[in-house]
Amino acid sequence: MFNASMLINGSQVPALSGRTTEIRNPANQELVAEVPSGGRKDAEMALEAAKKAFPEWSLATSALRADLLHEAARLVRQRCEQIARLLTQEMGKPLKYSRLEVLSSADVLDYYAEEGKRNFGQWISSPRSRSIVLRQPVGVAALITPWNYPVDLLAWKVGPALAAGCTVVAKPPSIAPLAATEFMKAVNDAGLPGGVVNVVLGPGSEVGAELVENPISKKVAFTGETETGRWIMEHSARHLKRVSLELGGHSPFIVCEDADLDKAAAAGAIRAFSNMGQICISVNRIYVAQEIAGEFIEKFIERAGRLKIGNGLEQDVDLGPMASGSQRDKTREHVADALQKGARLLLGGREPDGAEYSKGYFYQPTVLSGVDHGMKVMREETFGPVAPITTFETVDQAIGLANDSQYGLASYVYTESLESAIYAAERLESGGVGININNVVDIQAPFGGWKQSGFGRELGRQGLDSYLELKHIRIGL
Ligand code: NAD
């Protein structure tokens, strides 16, 4: 069994109260680890440590910060196997995808090591004065993350925060804290001064709330549910903290009449079911041109049926269990709601058969047709392996349906027509649009939401901006 600890001021520590909680593998309920369950006092200690470390770190050269971030990336790669196994054991995703997540988090650290060197200011000449504009770190940053990509989504915050000169306190998700904590230990082991990176484990309602409400943190970077984001925004307002919120999504996937159907079906099935649909940019609603709907659905179901379900530690598994019983319950509830309102079940709709699945939170990839926007699957975030499909007659109608959502994180369009692609991309209300590609994440480009999917951007140059304040220095002549 793995023994986890928190990281405060460069030391690995238990919770002040001595309390712990168990982490169990969602594939079979085996005990994976005992982790400290901290509270408000632990979070306050970590914030104090980050505050103490801030003056030195904020004034360090970008070259020094870059060297340390590159070293951190090297250590993360070196420890990839250990971190990836913990990730699979705590939240279920297949080991091959856990490895990719850990390696991608190292790439993010490398990217911001270099981007930090380009944190240039401005020089402005005026008639009787000169102005310098500095871009300086905002202060101690609280980083609060969810369980679906606990390592990567933390790297998206730690990389730019450290490159900007902020010190940080991270609050990994309660149900999957192990890999994120080991990732942060690797960052710390790169030789950062004590207190630059801290990790506190425990319930969001205590540890997370303290990080938001305590005036020491000057910035809260949050990824998680829209409701939690709303609470964070309200409580950050008291101290007018900088806030960035990456929240829920409900991504439409439009397949036009002229689309390459093999490509669209394969890409759609992967993005609807990988990570068991527990992705904020998962394909949640599929709109297919009426003329090609039959052919597309056939290909889509064939692709979905190929996916192998099992314990993520086994070889060649494509889909693991869902991360928790409550996630599976919500999926069941959404499928039942759709069927009761007249949807047709084309695939899945229940747990897989077999003793090997009996103790885990498994669920089959599920395809529904005959759906409409009165059903929960078409409105609320299922965060499960469900692909509801309906048809459209014109591209304008598809765009209207796609935009009929409170969310606006990602949208996808498959078409061979450049004109249709541009027409749709300009009209879709989301922070990212994928044209003939099923992923809108690129380390070098801004990622974030419109509408109730939040605001602020991570990744790319813009990811660094959100940890910086501007300062105008005016020199009289
Ligand atoms: P969640 O909101 O329940 O929890 C996220 C984090 O917030 C956890 O660490 C939790 O402990 C903490 N938290 C809970 N209450 C808090 C409070 N009052 N104050 C401070 N922190 C608190 O979300 P989740 O269930 O872990 O993750 C799933 C959600 O995340 C989905 O809605 C998904 O769409 C969203 N998500 C969004 C993105 C994106 O980039 N937009 C990416 C991944 C996941």
Side-chain angles (χ1 to χ4, degrees):
M1 195 183 65
F2 186 77
N3 262 318
S5 51
M6 310 199 288
L7 177 67
I8 299 182
N9 204 19
S11 302
Q12 299 193 25
V13 293
L16 286 171
S17 66
R19 274 186 305 171
T20 58
T21 48
E22 292 181 344
I23 301 297
R24 290 188 176 270
N25 187 333
N28 51 23
Q29 310 309 324
E30 272 171 16
L31 188 61
V32 180
E34 296 266 2
V35 300
S37 181
R40 283 191 178 260
K41 276 269 159 236
D42 303 83
E44 195 182 347
M45 268 174 60
L47 286 167
E48 292 285 358
K51 182 182 171 186
K52 203 159 142 254
F54 181 72
E56 183 191 338
W57 184 249
S58 64
L59 293 172
T61 62
S62 53
L64 173 72
R65 294 201 286 250
D67 284 349
L68 293 172
L69 278 167
H70 282 311
E71 175 60 9
R74 192 187 66 77
L75 288 176
V76 170
R77 288 190 187 100
Q78 193 182 64
R79 300 178 193 178
C80 174
E81 198 56 27
Q82 182 231 357
I83 302 174
R85 285 187 80 82
L86 286 172
L87 181 50
T88 293
Q89 287 173 292
E90 65 185 338
M91 64 72 64
K93 73 177 59 167
L95 192 52
K96 62 185 176 189
Y97 296 122
S98 293
R99 289 187 185 115
L100 287 178
E101 178 171 342
V102 176
L103 294 175
S104 153
S105 72
D107 291 346
V108 173
L109 298 179
D110 274 336
Y111 174 79
Y112 281 108
E114 294 305 309
E115 202 55 33
K117 293 179 188 168
R118 291 183 280 276
N119 179 22
F120 305 129
Q122 268 182 308
W123 172 260
I124 301 165
S125 297
S126 295
R128 279 175 301 283
S129 69
R130 297 292 181 270
S131 292
I132 302 168
V133 182
L134 296 185
R135 285 152 51 87
Q136 294 189 302
V138 64
V140 172
L143 316 178
I144 305 177
T145 45
W147 47 263
N148 62 337
Y149 284 86
V151 181
D152 223 0
L153 294 172
L154 186 52
W156 291 15
K157 297 168 179 56
V158 175
L162 295 183
C166 293
T167 54
V168 305
V169 180
K171 192 312 209 184
S174 308
I175 66 166
L178 302 173
T181 304
E182 290 308 296
F183 165 79
M184 289 297 273
K185 285 182 189 159
V187 173
N188 183 65
D189 289 350
L192 275 75
V196 172
V197 292
N198 304 275
V199 182
V200 188
L201 305 177
S205 54
E206 293 178 43
V207 172
E210 180 66 21
L211 296 184
V212 171
E213 290 175 325
N214 191 309
I216 291 177
S217 65
K218 304 296 180 229
K219 150 99 193 180
V220 181
F222 172 76
T223 302
E225 281 188 23
T226 295
E227 271 321 305
T228 318
R230 219 185 300 284
W231 188 93
I232 286 176
M233 192 169 167
E234 277 170 24
H235 289 77
S236 300
R238 187 151 170 247
H239 300 288
L240 293 177
K241 289 186 186 181
R242 307 313 183 234
V243 182
S244 48
L245 301 174
E246 301 282 359
L247 309 177
H250 206 276
S251 307
F253 186 90
I254 299 175
V255 186
C256 297
E257 191 186 347
D258 60 5
D260 177 332
L261 293 190
D262 288 316
K263 207 167 137 187
I270 287 170
R271 187 54 62 223
F273 302 122
S274 60
N275 215 30
M276 289 300 269
Q278 303 166 126
I279 312 183
C280 53
I281 56 166
S282 202
V283 165
N284 300 107
R285 295 172 279 147
I286 301 180
Y287 303 104
V288 194
Q290 195 140 38
E291 300 79 359
I292 45 103
E295 196 184 341
F296 172 82
I297 289 172
E298 202 175 300
K299 289 178 189 288
F300 187 87
I301 289 175
E302 194 270 322
R303 283 285 171 170
R306 281 192 208 177
L307 298 168
K308 188 174 170 210
I309 313 177
N311 182 328
L313 290 178
E314 285 164 17
Q315 281 283 330
D316 298 330
V317 164
D318 301 303
L319 305 176
M322 301 195 68
S324 67
S326 58
Q327 280 305 129
R328 187 172 64 175
D329 290 346
K330 189 174 179 194
T331 305
R332 285 179 177 143
E333 184 207 323
H334 279 204
V335 171
D337 172 79
L339 294 177
Q340 189 251 323
K341 289 176 181 162
R344 277 188 304 283
L345 183 65
L346 303 182
L347 188 74
R350 59 186 183 86
E351 296 76 60
D353 296 323
E356 68 273 36
Y357 301 116
S358 62
K359 289 190 186 152
Y361 304 124
F362 293 97
Y363 199 81
Q364 289 184 351
T366 296
V367 182
L368 300 169
S369 70
V371 293
D372 62 49
H373 282 210
M375 299 172 182
K376 287 184 181 176
V377 276
M378 298 298 273
R379 290 230 159 259
E380 297 175 22
E381 201 178 25
T382 307
F383 232 52
V386 182
I389 307 180
T390 187
T391 58
F392 65 85
E393 284 171 17
T394 65
V395 172
D396 278 322
Q397 190 194 1
I399 294 169
L401 287 165
N403 288 341
D404 177 26
S405 170
Q406 61 169 330
Y407 297 111
L409 194 56
S411 313
Y412 307 96
V413 183
Y414 275 71
T415 174
E416 294 295 292
S417 151
L418 187 57
E419 284 194 19
S420 298
I422 293 172
Y423 185 86
E426 288 181 346
R427 286 162 179 77
L428 286 164
E429 297 165 357
S430 58
V433 178
I435 306 286
N436 296 330
I437 191 163
N438 64 358
N439 188 350
V440 293
V441 175
D442 181 315
I443 292 177
Q444 303 185 81
F447 176 87
W450 285 20
K451 302 198 268 186
Q452 302 216 19
S453 292
F455 50 78
R457 290 294 178 270
E458 295 194 301
L459 300 179
R461 191 165 41 80
Q462 294 82 354
L464 188 65
D465 293 345
S466 69
Y467 294 90
L468 294 165
E469 287 281 24
L470 297 180
K471 182 185 282 169
H472 172 201
I473 302 172
R474 187 157 186 239
I475 306 163
L477 297 179

